Amino acid sequence: MNFISARPAISTSIGVIGVGSLYLFWRWYSNRERIPSNWRQVGVLNDLMCFPIKSCGIIREQAMECSELGLKIDWLYDRGFVIVNLAGNFVSARLHPKLVLIKPSMSKDELILTVPNGESFTIKYKDIIEKPVSKVTLWGQEMKGMDCGDDVAGFLSKYILDEDTGLRMVHYPTECGNMRRSRIRAIVRDNDSGAFPDLTSYCLMNESSIDDLNTRMDGFKTDPQNFRPNFVVKGAQPLEEDHWQWVRIGDVVFKVVKQCTRCVLTTVDWKTGVKNENGEPLATLKKYRMIGVKKHDTGSPVMGIHLTLRKAGTVQLSDPVYVA
């Protein structure tokens, strides 16, 4: 049989192989996304943190709603606000450590920002949704946000830059749903990327892993808040979170995406806004937590895990934490 007469058979074989490959991929993906039925309890939820403004302070509550965009308190989302420069590039505490000292608080439809000298600024939600749309660039990705106005821009510019202008604050347009394209599309759906977090909608820390880290540093102690997670689990074994694939807090289910790579932000003390002169805890993490680092993350140690929501609901402190 010559090549020309064999072509129909070859084409049929290629088609069968292609369909078979697609079917196997579909089976693999479906199994990967299927919520497990068997769970093992590892501890309890010991801390619950929402950071309304990227790189700034924290709001703690006894219970919070878990939404696709992240932790939610009424209209307020985790990392739902971001501070940008006049070019629209996001500004973080990596460059301006004073950001961590901006304390957010909430009252009805208002977000109140307080800085260390006692001055404060109040943002009303109804005013935000009437502001013009602005460009935001987050890790090279262009997004749209709602500019929060000149007054809060001046307040932040004065505190952070000691200038009248230079910074703006932008709110994620939550009525548009999740419009952000994932940075790691091979393992995360686009709608798992949250509002303005670095990677995914949720981050979890194991308290005993931080305790273990503290035994390795001489004369320095850190705590989970310095890693800026949403959830802190108490009762699990040190570093066992490296092997979890699914997490359930109460009835809310999350899929584990990957370990969290850590940067210089961990060296900024959230209580003082000052970077540790010895680069701790990052320096110690680099000695033993380079495990599992992907090529695009070379040079960054890992601690904690990124999560994506698979079953929504409300979590509260002391909820049992299960893994699968």
Side-chain angles (χ1 to χ4, degrees):
M1 183 172 65
N2 60 33
F3 175 74
I4 294 176
S5 62
R7 281 193 300 181
I10 293 172
S11 298
T12 300
S13 298
I14 292 173
V16 170
I17 292 171
V19 171
S21 298
L22 287 172
Y23 173 74
L24 290 174
F25 175 79
W26 174 81
R27 284 290 300 273
W28 167 80
Y29 186 82
S30 297
N31 288 333
R32 192 184 73 159
E33 288 292 312
R34 183 177 293 118
I35 295 176
S37 56
N38 295 319
W39 298 90
R40 171 175 63 91
Q41 185 174 354
V42 294
V44 297
L45 183 62
N46 199 43
D47 207 349
L48 188 54
M49 309 185 199
C50 178
F51 299 87
I53 310 166
K54 190 174 180 66
S55 273
C56 297
I58 188 173
I59 290 181
R60 281 184 166 94
E61 297 282 351
Q62 291 291 312
M64 294 188 201
E65 180 184 344
C66 295
S67 76
E68 197 171 65
L69 286 176
L71 281 179
K72 183 183 178 189
I73 311 169
D74 197 10
W75 59 272
L76 204 63
Y77 286 85
D78 182 70
R79 275 85 170 184
F81 291 87
V82 65
I83 298 170
V84 301
N85 60 24
L86 298 185
N89 297 309
F90 89 100
V91 173
S92 86
R94 297 168 181 84
L95 181 62
H96 299 287
K98 291 168 59 176
L99 279 168
V100 301
L101 301 181
I102 297 177
K103 294 183 178 180
S105 57
M106 191 177 182
S107 175
K108 295 182 180 179
D109 66 340
E110 298 176 342
L111 176 64
I112 304 161
L113 312 182
T114 304
V115 295
N117 66 6
E119 293 183 4
S120 64
F121 188 91
T122 299
I123 302 170
K124 293 183 181 295
Y125 179 64
K126 66 179 182 65
D127 292 336
I128 296 173
I129 60 177
E130 297 172 356
K131 298 296 182 182
V133 172
S134 178
K135 182 186 78 172
V136 177
T137 303
L138 183 65
W139 297 118
Q141 291 183 321
E142 282 197 7
M143 304 167 60
K144 296 294 185 182
M146 306 180 81
D147 190 284
C148 295
D150 293 337
D151 292 339
V152 68
F155 176 79
L156 292 169
S157 298
K158 190 66 177 177
Y159 168 67
I160 299 168
L161 305 178
D162 199 24
E163 301 283 349
D164 292 332
T165 62
L167 300 175
R168 310 290 298 182
M169 191 157 96
V170 177
H171 181 245
Y172 189 87
T174 51
E175 71 280 359
C176 297
N178 196 311
M179 59 179 186
R180 180 178 169 193
R181 185 175 291 271
S182 171
R183 292 167 57 206
I184 49 172
R185 298 191 68 197
I187 52 178
V188 179
R189 306 180 310 192
D190 285 348
N191 59 354
D192 289 329
S193 299
F196 294 123
D198 283 351
L199 197 63
T200 63
S201 304
Y202 296 91
C203 175
L204 178 147
M205 296 295 299
N206 178 359
E207 191 172 284
S208 65
S209 296
I210 302 297
D211 294 339
D212 176 70
L213 168 61
N214 283 331
T215 67
R216 301 169 185 265
M217 296 185 290
D218 185 17
F220 178 78
K221 301 291 183 183
T222 189
D223 62 56
Q225 186 169 331
N226 246 54
F227 293 82
R228 305 178 69 81
N230 300 118
F231 309 124
V232 180
V233 177
K234 181 176 183 177
Q237 293 299 308
L239 304 177
E240 73 163 289
E241 66 273 18
D242 289 348
H243 308 290
W244 299 345
Q245 295 181 23
W246 292 83
V247 174
R248 176 160 64 91
I249 303 176
D251 293 323
V252 182
V253 179
F254 305 88
K255 190 173 188 296
V256 179
V257 174
K258 66 187 290 287
Q259 296 161 307
C260 299
T261 52
R262 295 300 176 178
C263 67
V264 69
L265 186 55
T266 59
T267 69
V268 178
D269 189 331
W270 62 270
K271 297 182 289 293
T272 64
V274 176
K275 286 184 179 179
N276 181 267
E277 60 182 9
N278 297 318
E280 294 290 11
L282 195 63
T284 295
L285 283 174
K286 287 183 176 180
K287 295 177 182 178
Y288 77 108
R289 290 298 292 165
M290 302 302 288
I291 302 169
V293 174
K294 307 296 182 182
K295 288 183 179 180
H296 62 277
D297 292 326
T298 299
S300 299
V302 296
M303 183 63 84
I305 50 179
H306 286 290
L307 306 176
T308 58
L309 186 68
R310 288 297 178 265
K311 181 183 177 185
T314 298
V315 297
Q316 60 184 2
L317 294 181
S318 299
D319 269 351
V321 177
Y322 306 90
V323 302

